Amino acid sequence: MSATKRRRVLGIIATDATFERTWFREHEVWLGKCLHCNAHLMVSLQGEPISRATIEHIIPRTHGGTDALENLGLACARCNQGKGSRHDPRYLKDARAQELVARLQARRRERWRDPDAD
């Protein structure tokens, strides 16, 4: 994983209240929850996924989404890949896709933490 992606993962963790530092098998790690299904996700303190954590673009880049932290979350690979395969070229007019985006945006706002609060 590139240094840019690791920094992006750490930025997401800093703004997601479900992530906290903990110990796992003699290593300190970040432990949090998938944006979709709340499955546990584990990431090294350097930003390397230990579990199958992936960067989730709530609004996909192919449909105008950005890399702004408000549009990013961490998701398990299964959920993120499933979301990706459900989108089609009519994405912006697809009611189901729009409902999913709205639900993920709301969840991201609920979990938001000011990165400077610690």
Side-chain angles (χ1 to χ4, degrees):
M1 178 180 271
S2 71
T4 301
K5 277 194 174 183
R6 284 193 303 274
R7 279 192 302 276
R8 191 169 292 143
V9 167
L10 291 173
I12 295 165
I13 288 170
T15 59
D16 186 331
T18 69
F19 279 87
E20 55 187 40
R21 284 172 81 145
T22 190
W23 288 90
F24 178 76
R25 296 185 183 165
E26 300 179 17
H27 298 283
E28 197 171 12
V29 298
W30 289 106
L31 182 65
K33 295 182 178 180
C34 171
L35 188 60
H36 290 267
C37 71
N38 285 327
H40 284 107
L41 299 175
M42 200 176 316
V43 177
S44 76
L45 296 184
Q46 294 76 34
E48 285 283 341
I50 296 170
S51 62
R52 294 193 50 191
T54 62
I55 295 174
E56 164 71 64
H57 286 80
I58 296 169
I59 298 173
R61 287 182 290 190
T62 57
H63 297 289
T66 68
D67 287 333
L69 286 173
E70 296 81 7
N71 189 50
L72 299 176
L74 290 179
C76 62
R78 183 180 59 99
C79 287
N80 201 353
Q81 290 166 354
K83 176 184 173 230
S85 67
R86 287 191 303 266
H87 295 313
D88 63 27
R90 298 176 311 227
Y91 173 77
L92 295 174
K93 296 178 184 172
D94 181 346
R96 278 188 19 201
Q98 292 303 309
E99 288 172 19
L100 175 61
V101 166
R103 202 167 49 245
L104 292 175
Q105 287 173 324
R107 188 169 294 152
R108 183 69 168 119
R109 281 190 300 272
E110 289 167 6
R111 293 163 60 153
W112 187 264
R113 120 176 106 199
D114 182 0
D116 299 324
D118 291 334

mmCIF file with all atom_site columns, all heavy atoms in Angstrom, residues 20-24 27-31 41-45 50:
data_model
loop_
_atom_site.group_PDB
_atom_site.id
_atom_site.type_symbol
_atom_site.label_atom_id
_atom_site.label_alt_id
_atom_site.label_comp_id
_atom_site.label_asym_id
_atom_site.label_entity_id
_atom_site.label_seq_id
_atom_site.pdbx_PDB_ins_code
_atom_site.Cartn_x
_atom_site.Cartn_y
_atom_site.Cartn_z
_atom_site.occupancy
_atom_site.B_iso_or_equiv
_atom_site.pdbx_formal_charge
_atom_site.auth_seq_id
_atom_site.auth_comp_id
_atom_site.auth_asym_id
_atom_site.auth_atom_id
_atom_site.pdbx_PDB_model_num
ATOM 1   N N   . GLU A 1 20 ? -10.647 2.912   17.727 1.00 0.00 ? 20 GLU A N   1
ATOM 2   C CA  . GLU A 1 20 ? -9.866  3.217   18.918 1.00 0.00 ? 20 GLU A CA  1
ATOM 3   C C   . GLU A 1 20 ? -8.625  2.343   18.935 1.00 0.00 ? 20 GLU A C   1
ATOM 4   O O   . GLU A 1 20 ? -8.594  1.270   18.329 1.00 0.00 ? 20 GLU A O   1
ATOM 5   C CB  . GLU A 1 20 ? -10.689 3.025   20.184 1.00 0.00 ? 20 GLU A CB  1
ATOM 6   C CG  . GLU A 1 20 ? -11.307 1.675   20.324 1.00 0.00 ? 20 GLU A CG  1
ATOM 7   C CD  . GLU A 1 20 ? -12.248 1.598   21.521 1.00 0.00 ? 20 GLU A CD  1
ATOM 8   O OE1 . GLU A 1 20 ? -12.990 2.546   21.774 1.00 0.00 ? 20 GLU A OE1 1
ATOM 9   O OE2 . GLU A 1 20 ? -12.200 0.552   22.186 1.00 0.00 ? 20 GLU A OE2 1
ATOM 10  N N   . ARG A 1 21 ? -7.618  2.838   19.630 1.00 0.00 ? 21 ARG A N   1
ATOM 11  C CA  . ARG A 1 21 ? -6.379  2.070   19.751 1.00 0.00 ? 21 ARG A CA  1
ATOM 12  C C   . ARG A 1 21 ? -6.593  0.970   20.775 1.00 0.00 ? 21 ARG A C   1
ATOM 13  O O   . ARG A 1 21 ? -7.168  1.194   21.829 1.00 0.00 ? 21 ARG A O   1
ATOM 14  C CB  . ARG A 1 21 ? -5.243  2.972   20.186 1.00 0.00 ? 21 ARG A CB  1
ATOM 15  C CG  . ARG A 1 21 ? -4.747  3.843   19.055 1.00 0.00 ? 21 ARG A CG  1
ATOM 16  C CD  . ARG A 1 21 ? -3.767  4.865   19.549 1.00 0.00 ? 21 ARG A CD  1
ATOM 17  N NE  . ARG A 1 21 ? -2.443  4.294   19.701 1.00 0.00 ? 21 ARG A NE  1
ATOM 18  C CZ  . ARG A 1 21 ? -1.330  4.977   19.466 1.00 0.00 ? 21 ARG A CZ  1
ATOM 19  N NH1 . ARG A 1 21 ? -1.390  6.224   19.068 1.00 0.00 ? 21 ARG A NH1 1
ATOM 20  N NH2 . ARG A 1 21 ? -0.162  4.410   19.634 1.00 0.00 ? 21 ARG A NH2 1
ATOM 21  N N   . THR A 1 22 ? -6.104  -0.215  20.440 1.00 0.00 ? 22 THR A N   1
ATOM 22  C CA  . THR A 1 22 ? -6.212  -1.353  21.342 1.00 0.00 ? 22 THR A CA  1
ATOM 23  C C   . THR A 1 22 ? -5.054  -2.306  21.077 1.00 0.00 ? 22 THR A C   1
ATOM 24  O O   . THR A 1 22 ? -4.285  -2.104  20.139 1.00 0.00 ? 22 THR A O   1
ATOM 25  C CB  . THR A 1 22 ? -7.582  -2.068  21.168 1.00 0.00 ? 22 THR A CB  1
ATOM 26  O OG1 . THR A 1 22 ? -7.740  -3.023  22.209 1.00 0.00 ? 22 THR A OG1 1
ATOM 27  C CG2 . THR A 1 22 ? -7.705  -2.726  19.807 1.00 0.00 ? 22 THR A CG2 1
ATOM 28  N N   . TRP A 1 23 ? -4.956  -3.319  21.884 1.00 0.00 ? 23 TRP A N   1
ATOM 29  C CA  . TRP A 1 23 ? -3.902  -4.323  21.717 1.00 0.00 ? 23 TRP A CA  1
ATOM 30  C C   . TRP A 1 23 ? -4.489  -5.581  21.116 1.00 0.00 ? 23 TRP A C   1
ATOM 31  O O   . TRP A 1 23 ? -5.576  -6.020  21.491 1.00 0.00 ? 23 TRP A O   1
ATOM 32  C CB  . TRP A 1 23 ? -3.243  -4.640  23.057 1.00 0.00 ? 23 TRP A CB  1
ATOM 33  C CG  . TRP A 1 23 ? -2.394  -3.511  23.522 1.00 0.00 ? 23 TRP A CG  1
ATOM 34  C CD1 . TRP A 1 23 ? -2.786  -2.458  24.299 1.00 0.00 ? 23 TRP A CD1 1
ATOM 35  C CD2 . TRP A 1 23 ? -1.028  -3.288  23.209 1.00 0.00 ? 23 TRP A CD2 1
ATOM 36  N NE1 . TRP A 1 23 ? -1.743  -1.591  24.488 1.00 0.00 ? 23 TRP A NE1 1
ATOM 37  C CE2 . TRP A 1 23 ? -0.646  -2.086  23.832 1.00 0.00 ? 23 TRP A CE2 1
ATOM 38  C CE3 . TRP A 1 23 ? -0.095  -3.982  22.455 1.00 0.00 ? 23 TRP A CE3 1
ATOM 39  C CZ2 . TRP A 1 23 ? 0.643   -1.568  23.731 1.00 0.00 ? 23 TRP A CZ2 1
ATOM 40  C CZ3 . TRP A 1 23 ? 1.190   -3.475  22.358 1.00 0.00 ? 23 TRP A CZ3 1
ATOM 41  C CH2 . TRP A 1 23 ? 1.549   -2.284  22.992 1.00 0.00 ? 23 TRP A CH2 1
ATOM 42  N N   . PHE A 1 24 ? -3.762  -6.168  20.162 1.00 0.00 ? 24 PHE A N   1
ATOM 43  C CA  . PHE A 1 24 ? -4.146  -7.431  19.541 1.00 0.00 ? 24 PHE A CA  1
ATOM 44  C C   . PHE A 1 24 ? -2.877  -8.244  19.329 1.00 0.00 ? 24 PHE A C   1
ATOM 45  O O   . PHE A 1 24 ? -1.975  -7.808  18.592 1.00 0.00 ? 24 PHE A O   1
ATOM 46  C CB  . PHE A 1 24 ? -4.856  -7.186  18.206 1.00 0.00 ? 24 PHE A CB  1
ATOM 47  C CG  . PHE A 1 24 ? -5.245  -8.444  17.487 1.00 0.00 ? 24 PHE A CG  1
ATOM 48  C CD1 . PHE A 1 24 ? -6.338  -9.183  17.903 1.00 0.00 ? 24 PHE A CD1 1
ATOM 49  C CD2 . PHE A 1 24 ? -4.504  -8.889  16.407 1.00 0.00 ? 24 PHE A CD2 1
ATOM 50  C CE1 . PHE A 1 24 ? -6.699  -10.342 17.257 1.00 0.00 ? 24 PHE A CE1 1
ATOM 51  C CE2 . PHE A 1 24 ? -4.859  -10.054 15.745 1.00 0.00 ? 24 PHE A CE2 1
ATOM 52  C CZ  . PHE A 1 24 ? -5.959  -10.786 16.170 1.00 0.00 ? 24 PHE A CZ  1
ATOM 53  N N   . HIS A 1 27 ? 0.423   -6.487  19.663 1.00 0.00 ? 27 HIS A N   1
ATOM 54  C CA  . HIS A 1 27 ? 0.624   -5.328  18.788 1.00 0.00 ? 27 HIS A CA  1
ATOM 55  C C   . HIS A 1 27 ? -0.483  -4.315  19.050 1.00 0.00 ? 27 HIS A C   1
ATOM 56  O O   . HIS A 1 27 ? -1.647  -4.680  19.189 1.00 0.00 ? 27 HIS A O   1
ATOM 57  C CB  . HIS A 1 27 ? 0.581   -5.733  17.308 1.00 0.00 ? 27 HIS A CB  1
ATOM 58  C CG  . HIS A 1 27 ? 1.657   -6.685  16.927 1.00 0.00 ? 27 HIS A CG  1
ATOM 59  N ND1 . HIS A 1 27 ? 2.962   -6.289  16.716 1.00 0.00 ? 27 HIS A ND1 1
ATOM 60  C CD2 . HIS A 1 27 ? 1.645   -8.020  16.721 1.00 0.00 ? 27 HIS A CD2 1
ATOM 61  C CE1 . HIS A 1 27 ? 3.691   -7.336  16.408 1.00 0.00 ? 27 HIS A CE1 1
ATOM 62  N NE2 . HIS A 1 27 ? 2.922   -8.408  16.401 1.00 0.00 ? 27 HIS A NE2 1
ATOM 63  N N   . GLU A 1 28 ? -0.103  -3.045  19.093 1.00 0.00 ? 28 GLU A N   1
ATOM 64  C CA  . GLU A 1 28 ? -1.110  -2.000  19.218 1.00 0.00 ? 28 GLU A CA  1
ATOM 65  C C   . GLU A 1 28 ? -1.667  -1.716  17.823 1.00 0.00 ? 28 GLU A C   1
ATOM 66  O O   . GLU A 1 28 ? -0.916  -1.589  16.860 1.00 0.00 ? 28 GLU A O   1
ATOM 67  C CB  . GLU A 1 28 ? -0.499  -0.738  19.827 1.00 0.00 ? 28 GLU A CB  1
ATOM 68  C CG  . GLU A 1 28 ? -1.543  0.205   20.342 1.00 0.00 ? 28 GLU A CG  1
ATOM 69  C CD  . GLU A 1 28 ? -0.956  1.346   21.149 1.00 0.00 ? 28 GLU A CD  1
ATOM 70  O OE1 . GLU A 1 28 ? 0.280   1.546   21.129 1.00 0.00 ? 28 GLU A OE1 1
ATOM 71  O OE2 . GLU A 1 28 ? -1.741  2.043   21.787 1.00 0.00 ? 28 GLU A OE2 1
ATOM 72  N N   . VAL A 1 29 ? -2.987  -1.660  17.719 1.00 0.00 ? 29 VAL A N   1
ATOM 73  C CA  . VAL A 1 29 ? -3.666  -1.494  16.431 1.00 0.00 ? 29 VAL A CA  1
ATOM 74  C C   . VAL A 1 29 ? -4.850  -0.545  16.589 1.00 0.00 ? 29 VAL A C   1
ATOM 75  O O   . VAL A 1 29 ? -5.253  -0.204  17.694 1.00 0.00 ? 29 VAL A O   1
ATOM 76  C CB  . VAL A 1 29 ? -4.189  -2.854  15.885 1.00 0.00 ? 29 VAL A CB  1
ATOM 77  C CG1 . VAL A 1 29 ? -3.047  -3.818  15.640 1.00 0.00 ? 29 VAL A CG1 1
ATOM 78  C CG2 . VAL A 1 29 ? -5.236  -3.453  16.817 1.00 0.00 ? 29 VAL A CG2 1
ATOM 79  N N   . TRP A 1 30 ? -5.417  -0.148  15.458 1.00 0.00 ? 30 TRP A N   1
ATOM 80  C CA  . TRP A 1 30 ? -6.686  0.563   15.418 1.00 0.00 ? 30 TRP A CA  1
ATOM 81  C C   . TRP A 1 30 ? -7.774  -0.477  15.181 1.00 0.00 ? 30 TRP A C   1
ATOM 82  O O   . TRP A 1 30 ? -7.664  -1.288  14.266 1.00 0.00 ? 30 TRP A O   1
ATOM 83  C CB  . TRP A 1 30 ? -6.720  1.585   14.286 1.00 0.00 ? 30 TRP A CB  1
ATOM 84  C CG  . TRP A 1 30 ? -5.846  2.762   14.512 1.00 0.00 ? 30 TRP A CG  1
ATOM 85  C CD1 . TRP A 1 30 ? -4.657  3.039   13.914 1.00 0.00 ? 30 TRP A CD1 1
ATOM 86  C CD2 . TRP A 1 30 ? -6.106  3.848   15.396 1.00 0.00 ? 30 TRP A CD2 1
ATOM 87  N NE1 . TRP A 1 30 ? -4.152  4.221   14.374 1.00 0.00 ? 30 TRP A NE1 1
ATOM 88  C CE2 . TRP A 1 30 ? -5.029  4.744   15.289 1.00 0.00 ? 30 TRP A CE2 1
ATOM 89  C CE3 . TRP A 1 30 ? -7.140  4.147   16.283 1.00 0.00 ? 30 TRP A CE3 1
ATOM 90  C CZ2 . TRP A 1 30 ? -4.955  5.919   16.023 1.00 0.00 ? 30 TRP A CZ2 1
ATOM 91  C CZ3 . TRP A 1 30 ? -7.067  5.320   17.020 1.00 0.00 ? 30 TRP A CZ3 1
ATOM 92  C CH2 . TRP A 1 30 ? -5.987  6.188   16.882 1.00 0.00 ? 30 TRP A CH2 1
ATOM 93  N N   . LEU A 1 31 ? -8.839  -0.437  15.982 1.00 0.00 ? 31 LEU A N   1
ATOM 94  C CA  . LEU A 1 31 ? -9.962  -1.345  15.816 1.00 0.00 ? 31 LEU A CA  1
ATOM 95  C C   . LEU A 1 31 ? -11.220 -0.503  15.669 1.00 0.00 ? 31 LEU A C   1
ATOM 96  O O   . LEU A 1 31 ? -11.491 0.378   16.486 1.00 0.00 ? 31 LEU A O   1
ATOM 97  C CB  . LEU A 1 31 ? -10.093 -2.283  17.024 1.00 0.00 ? 31 LEU A CB  1
ATOM 98  C CG  . LEU A 1 31 ? -11.203 -3.317  16.956 1.00 0.00 ? 31 LEU A CG  1
ATOM 99  C CD1 . LEU A 1 31 ? -10.936 -4.315  15.831 1.00 0.00 ? 31 LEU A CD1 1
ATOM 100 C CD2 . LEU A 1 31 ? -11.329 -4.044  18.293 1.00 0.00 ? 31 LEU A CD2 1
ATOM 101 N N   . LEU A 1 41 ? -12.991 -4.093  11.954 1.00 0.00 ? 41 LEU A N   1
ATOM 102 C CA  . LEU A 1 41 ? -11.874 -3.864  11.036 1.00 0.00 ? 41 LEU A CA  1
ATOM 103 C C   . LEU A 1 41 ? -10.650 -3.528  11.862 1.00 0.00 ? 41 LEU A C   1
ATOM 104 O O   . LEU A 1 41 ? -10.746 -2.790  12.848 1.00 0.00 ? 41 LEU A O   1
ATOM 105 C CB  . LEU A 1 41 ? -12.175 -2.707  10.086 1.00 0.00 ? 41 LEU A CB  1
ATOM 106 C CG  . LEU A 1 41 ? -13.380 -2.863  9.170  1.00 0.00 ? 41 LEU A CG  1
ATOM 107 C CD1 . LEU A 1 41 ? -13.606 -1.585  8.378  1.00 0.00 ? 41 LEU A CD1 1
ATOM 108 C CD2 . LEU A 1 41 ? -13.180 -4.050  8.234  1.00 0.00 ? 41 LEU A CD2 1
ATOM 109 N N   . MET A 1 42 ? -9.509  -4.046  11.458 1.00 0.00 ? 42 MET A N   1
ATOM 110 C CA  . MET A 1 42 ? -8.277  -3.807  12.177 1.00 0.00 ? 42 MET A CA  1
ATOM 111 C C   . MET A 1 42 ? -7.249  -3.214  11.222 1.00 0.00 ? 42 MET A C   1
ATOM 112 O O   . MET A 1 42 ? -7.084  -3.685  10.098 1.00 0.00 ? 42 MET A O   1
ATOM 113 C CB  . MET A 1 42 ? -7.760  -5.120  12.754 1.00 0.00 ? 42 MET A CB  1
ATOM 114 C CG  . MET A 1 42 ? -6.804  -4.937  13.883 1.00 0.00 ? 42 MET A CG  1
ATOM 115 S SD  . MET A 1 42 ? -6.297  -6.517  14.642 1.00 0.00 ? 42 MET A SD  1
ATOM 116 C CE  . MET A 1 42 ? -7.823  -7.413  14.780 1.00 0.00 ? 42 MET A CE  1
ATOM 117 N N   . VAL A 1 43 ? -6.564  -2.175  11.706 1.00 0.00 ? 43 VAL A N   1
ATOM 118 C CA  . VAL A 1 43 ? -5.569  -1.465  10.905 1.00 0.00 ? 43 VAL A CA  1
ATOM 119 C C   . VAL A 1 43 ? -4.354  -1.209  11.788 1.00 0.00 ? 43 VAL A C   1
ATOM 120 O O   . VAL A 1 43 ? -4.501  -0.860  12.966 1.00 0.00 ? 43 VAL A O   1
ATOM 121 C CB  . VAL A 1 43 ? -6.147  -0.116  10.387 1.00 0.00 ? 43 VAL A CB  1
ATOM 122 C CG1 . VAL A 1 43 ? -5.117  0.670   9.616  1.00 0.00 ? 43 VAL A CG1 1
ATOM 123 C CG2 . VAL A 1 43 ? -7.403  -0.350  9.555  1.00 0.00 ? 43 VAL A CG2 1
ATOM 124 N N   . SER A 1 44 ? -3.161  -1.366  11.222 1.00 0.00 ? 44 SER A N   1
ATOM 125 C CA  . SER A 1 44 ? -1.944  -1.079  11.992 1.00 0.00 ? 44 SER A CA  1
ATOM 126 C C   . SER A 1 44 ? -1.887  0.415   12.306 1.00 0.00 ? 44 SER A C   1
ATOM 127 O O   . SER A 1 44 ? -2.546  1.233   11.651 1.00 0.00 ? 44 SER A O   1
ATOM 128 C CB  . SER A 1 44 ? -0.702  -1.492  11.204 1.00 0.00 ? 44 SER A CB  1
ATOM 129 O OG  . SER A 1 44 ? -0.426  -0.546  10.183 1.00 0.00 ? 44 SER A OG  1
ATOM 130 N N   . LEU A 1 45 ? -1.080  0.777   13.280 1.00 0.00 ? 45 LEU A N   1
ATOM 131 C CA  . LEU A 1 45 ? -0.932  2.191   13.627 1.00 0.00 ? 45 LEU A CA  1
ATOM 132 C C   . LEU A 1 45 ? -0.306  2.985   12.486 1.00 0.00 ? 45 LEU A C   1
ATOM 133 O O   . LEU A 1 45 ? -0.429  4.202   12.428 1.00 0.00 ? 45 LEU A O   1
ATOM 134 C CB  . LEU A 1 45 ? -0.083  2.349   14.896 1.00 0.00 ? 45 LEU A CB  1
ATOM 135 C CG  . LEU A 1 45 ? -0.681  1.759   16.171 1.00 0.00 ? 45 LEU A CG  1
ATOM 136 C CD1 . LEU A 1 45 ? 0.218   2.089   17.361 1.00 0.00 ? 45 LEU A CD1 1
ATOM 137 C CD2 . LEU A 1 45 ? -2.098  2.233   16.419 1.00 0.00 ? 45 LEU A CD2 1
ATOM 138 N N   . ILE A 1 50 ? -5.015  -4.715  8.483  1.00 0.00 ? 50 ILE A N   1
ATOM 139 C CA  . ILE A 1 50 ? -4.668  -6.051  8.969  1.00 0.00 ? 50 ILE A CA  1
ATOM 140 C C   . ILE A 1 50 ? -5.802  -6.996  8.591  1.00 0.00 ? 50 ILE A C   1
ATOM 141 O O   . ILE A 1 50 ? -5.578  -8.092  8.116  1.00 0.00 ? 50 ILE A O   1
ATOM 142 C CB  . ILE A 1 50 ? -4.427  -6.044  10.491 1.00 0.00 ? 50 ILE A CB  1
ATOM 143 C CG1 . ILE A 1 50 ? -3.215  -5.164  10.799 1.00 0.00 ? 50 ILE A CG1 1
ATOM 144 C CG2 . ILE A 1 50 ? -4.255  -7.463  11.030 1.00 0.00 ? 50 ILE A CG2 1
ATOM 145 C CD1 . ILE A 1 50 ? -3.009  -4.880  12.263 1.00 0.00 ? 50 ILE A CD1 1
#
